[in-house]
Amino acid sequence: MSTQGYEEELRSERGYVAGLYARLDAERARVKRRYGLALGDDGGTPMERDVEVRALAREISRLNVADEGLCFGRLDSVSDERRYIGRIGLFDEDDDYEPVLLDWRAPAARAFYTATAATPENMRRRRQFHARGRRILGFSDEVLGRPGEGDQGDAALLAAVNAPRGEGMRDIVATIQAEQDEIIRLDHPGVLVIEGGPGTGKTVVALHRVAYLLYTRRERMERHGVLVVGPNPAFLGHIGRVLPSLGESDVVFMTPGDLVPGIHTTEEDDPEAARIKGSLGILDVLAAAVADRQRLPEQPVPVELADVTVRIGADIVGWARDEARASGQPHNEARAVFTEILTWALTERAIGKIGKGWLTRADREAWEDLRGDLLKELAADAKFVAVLDELWPVLTPESLLGSLYTSRERLRAAGAEEALWRAEGEAWTVSDVPLLDELADLLGGDRPDQTADREREAETAYAAGVLKLIETDRQDLMDDEDHLLAQDLLYAEDLAERFGQADTRDLVERASADRNWTYRHVVVDEAQELSEMDWRVLMRRCPGRSFTVVGDLAQRRSAAGASSWGSMLERYVPGRWQYRGLSVNYRTPAEIMAVAAALLAEFAPGVRPPESVRANGIRPWARRVTEDELPAAIGEFEREEASREGISVVIGPPETPGTVPASETKGLEFDAVLVVEPERILAEGPRGAADLYVALTRATQRLGVLHRAPLPAPLRALSGEGALAMAHRRSG
């Protein structure tokens, strides 16, 4: 294309995109007017107004995200049909709602990501726009259907991966690659495992998959939302803008330490304690710990009533305990059975003593009147209540687990290992969270109010009937089989709550505060770190078993984590999980990946490192320093990077001043990384090797290493030392 032709085409494209923004602004103004009217509308039922207001609020959010990069490309077919591709879809209301902009998730837009020179999919050209704000700065064209011209998207992709990092992960909606697009659009209702080495884009692919599922299955998914589980708060902050930038806001972000409402922890156990707590064997310990609190009296306990003294002995307590356990109810709810049996036995004995010689069972009315009086006395007797609390106490997960950890006697009684003992029982760690969640089921509620429960069930049944009337596509929702009924009930319960008192919280707030909330889909990142007990929690949160699981077994650092995907998943979804691998490293330059690959070959020799899509010509460097020189060397790195565009980080052993532990950088990326004392990181064994591998693969441009002891063997290929290394660094 000549310069003049390019300029003419650019003016034309700018005019078209300006027209799209005009449509966007008009549509947004129209929806905002409707939203304002809906808020003040007194007509219809409260439920109808609530449904309309929430739908309009979601539409406003969808339109707001499109301001930046509304249209990022165009496809020209061999028949000269033009398709403009963007963040959302827009339609011409005056032309039978013909699309003027295709949503990137629409089937007709797929060729934008999958067409290649060798397989053009009836496309002649792909055009990608370069924009700033609403203005098109330029475009680049790729002619398809000519073998040898290269794969799609290289120019846009390389521009994206070479660009300086900003705050937070960016979406890849304009540069999705073919192998990524296949995973994003995979129609699999069960568990999808996406595995890839550092820089392969597995996290951002999983997030785009969520956006795609919400687009294609919105009716099924949006009422319950999506849960995204990441390794730490920094990671969640990093990825938090991706889904909102794609128009999706009904997403709850949590770490494994947040999965029980009211508990927020990032503290880790030592490897041995983490291994014990993460194994399913801990279930027997928890059950035994609960049973240990259902006690028999060592000696009969006398209780003095007005006319008689009765003794609470091991015989009747044992009977009451057996009956309560046989009820199958959780501990706190079974207390009612225990109390009923115990008080019945005590009143029988008391009546026998009081009525001896004058009262027989034939005089049933007098017998029951006397029993009623005795029951009132027992309920008011402080000693009896204290004994009841001692023999079958009301427990919370926190009180039970905390007291277990601080008592070696209770640990032995529960069959637990000594490694679980600690001085501060309720100093919660991430490994404690699934145990607290398990105990919530084992213990149940404190004292359930049966009348309130029955009223609640009636309200829920009525709400469920209302939901049936407004169901628009019942058959589509039946894909979830029997899981649908339980989840519809939860939604009905939510609706029933509104009949009594309006809940103004949005979905994210309600879901985050409710342990019993269930999600339609769950994304688990860094999933190789999750234990068997962690997976039990997540499976409770998603009865439909719809997951996108993201990880890299080579990066596993947790002693309780996954050694294989099947070992974690087959128990819950036998035959219902699929595996997809990503093999191309879009983040890490080849020069840096070569260093990381040498380490990988030593601690995980069977794992093949991902292949970097680019080299940047900047060699990693290493420099040996003394303990006194280390702070100044770190400061020099920070000053040099502060003068450059982008972001940097210093990664070092835990508790080293001026550094960030590698575990806190998982899933993050930086323009420049300085790794401090790799020999100390590696000394932590398998966990240390995984941490060092993570540290070495965070950089998109520049990597430096400062070490006091000799470099570990896998890192000795780093370029020179001292002045030579400094020269390489400054030339970069």
Side-chain angles (χ1 to χ4, degrees), residues 283 434 436-439 441-442 515-519 533-545 547:
L283 293 172
L436 292 168
D437 193 69
E438 193 74 34
L439 285 169
D441 278 355
L442 289 175
R515 176 186 172 267
N516 294 316
W517 189 277
T518 60
Y519 298 89
M533 289 298 293
D534 289 324
W535 280 109
R536 283 178 65 87
V537 179
L538 293 177
M539 292 297 167
R540 289 191 192 100
R541 302 298 190 267
C542 188
R545 304 292 195 261
F547 283 78

Side-chain angles (χ1 to χ4, degrees), residues 497-571:
E497 182 71 31
R498 294 189 206 165
F499 292 150
Q501 181 177 359
D503 189 343
T504 58
R505 297 174 299 169
D506 62 21
L507 182 145
V508 172
E509 293 172 317
R510 288 182 287 129
S512 300
D514 186 356
R515 176 186 172 267
N516 294 316
W517 189 277
T518 60
Y519 298 89
R520 285 293 191 186
H521 191 77
V522 176
V523 177
V524 187
D525 210 319
E526 300 293 345
Q528 74 276 356
E529 307 296 349
L530 268 61
S531 69
E532 293 174 321
M533 289 298 293
D534 289 324
W535 280 109
R536 283 178 65 87
V537 179
L538 293 177
M539 292 297 167
R540 289 191 192 100
R541 302 298 190 267
C542 188
R545 304 292 195 261
S546 179
F547 283 78
T548 299
V549 176
V550 183
D552 179 10
L553 294 177
Q555 295 187 54
R556 177 175 69 91
R557 63 187 303 275
S558 170
S563 57
S564 71
W565 300 117
S567 65
M568 290 295 184
L569 298 175
E570 276 296 322
R571 179 180 296 107

Side-chain angles (χ1 to χ4, degrees), residues 112-417:
F112 186 80
Y113 303 109
T114 59
T116 66
T119 310
E121 300 188 24
N122 292 320
M123 295 297 148
R124 180 172 59 84
R125 175 169 55 194
R126 175 180 23 250
R127 173 168 292 176
Q128 291 181 301
F129 297 135
H130 316 299
R132 180 178 295 125
R134 292 189 168 201
R135 181 173 175 78
I136 301 297
L137 302 179
F139 63 82
S140 57
D141 283 347
E142 182 183 1
V143 178
L144 303 171
R146 296 181 181 177
E149 293 225 352
D151 211 346
Q152 65 96 9
D154 287 348
L157 172 65
L158 290 175
V161 297
N162 280 312
R165 304 298 98 176
E167 292 186 5
M169 178 180 283
R170 294 171 292 194
D171 66 62
I172 58 170
V173 65
T175 59
I176 293 171
Q177 302 299 289
E179 72 166 356
Q180 297 172 331
D181 186 78
E182 179 185 355
I183 294 171
I184 289 169
R185 298 174 192 264
L186 186 65
D187 185 18
H188 176 61
V191 176
L192 174 64
V193 176
I194 306 173
E195 183 167 28
T200 53
K202 53 188 179 291
T203 296
V204 74
V205 167
L207 296 175
H208 283 69
R209 175 169 167 77
V210 169
Y212 176 75
L213 292 175
L214 285 166
Y215 176 80
T216 56
R217 306 177 186 178
R218 189 163 301 280
E219 276 295 317
R220 193 186 318 168
M221 294 181 66
E222 70 177 355
R223 289 202 303 249
H224 293 271
V226 172
L227 173 64
V228 175
V229 179
N232 54 59
F235 174 84
L236 295 182
H238 179 62
I239 69 171
R241 68 173 62 181
V242 173
L243 283 168
S245 76
L246 298 172
E248 306 300 346
S249 57
D250 290 338
V251 181
V252 177
F253 293 90
M254 291 185 178
T255 70
D258 302 327
L259 289 171
V260 171
I263 304 293
H264 303 284
T265 180
T266 58
E267 296 299 317
E268 294 186 357
D269 279 298
D270 64 71
E272 179 62 10
R275 181 192 62 77
I276 295 169
K277 293 178 183 180
S279 167
L280 293 180
I282 199 69
L283 293 172
D284 293 334
V285 172
L286 297 179
V290 174
D292 184 53
R293 303 300 292 272
Q294 301 163 356
R295 310 183 73 89
L296 302 179
E298 295 181 1
Q299 299 292 333
V301 179
V303 176
E304 297 181 3
L305 302 177
D307 298 317
V308 68
T309 297
V310 292
R311 294 183 179 274
I312 304 174
D315 54 345
I316 59 173
V317 174
W319 175 37
R321 184 175 71 173
D322 290 344
E323 291 294 321
R325 288 176 175 176
S327 72
Q329 297 182 60
H331 169 88
N332 289 333
E333 294 163 27
R335 175 183 162 112
V337 178
F338 177 81
T339 303
E340 181 181 6
I341 298 296
L342 184 60
T343 54
W344 185 90
L346 289 175
T347 54
E348 280 289 297
R349 289 186 176 182
I351 292 171
K353 290 182 178 181
I354 295 172
K356 188 175 182 179
W358 65 270
L359 182 64
T360 67
R361 286 187 178 274
D363 190 357
R364 180 163 298 278
E365 184 175 349
W367 192 284
E368 291 304 323
D369 286 344
L370 183 55
R371 185 192 303 280
D373 293 337
L374 290 169
L375 287 174
K376 291 178 181 177
E377 281 193 69
L378 283 173
D381 188 277
K383 185 173 184 179
F384 174 73
V385 173
V387 171
L388 191 62
D389 288 339
E390 175 67 23
L391 300 178
W392 198 287
V394 173
L395 299 170
T396 67
E398 293 82 0
S399 65
L400 176 64
L401 194 60
S403 61
L404 176 67
Y405 288 152
T406 57
S407 170
R408 290 186 169 89
E409 180 183 353
R410 283 178 174 166
L411 286 171
R412 284 193 296 270
E417 298 183 45

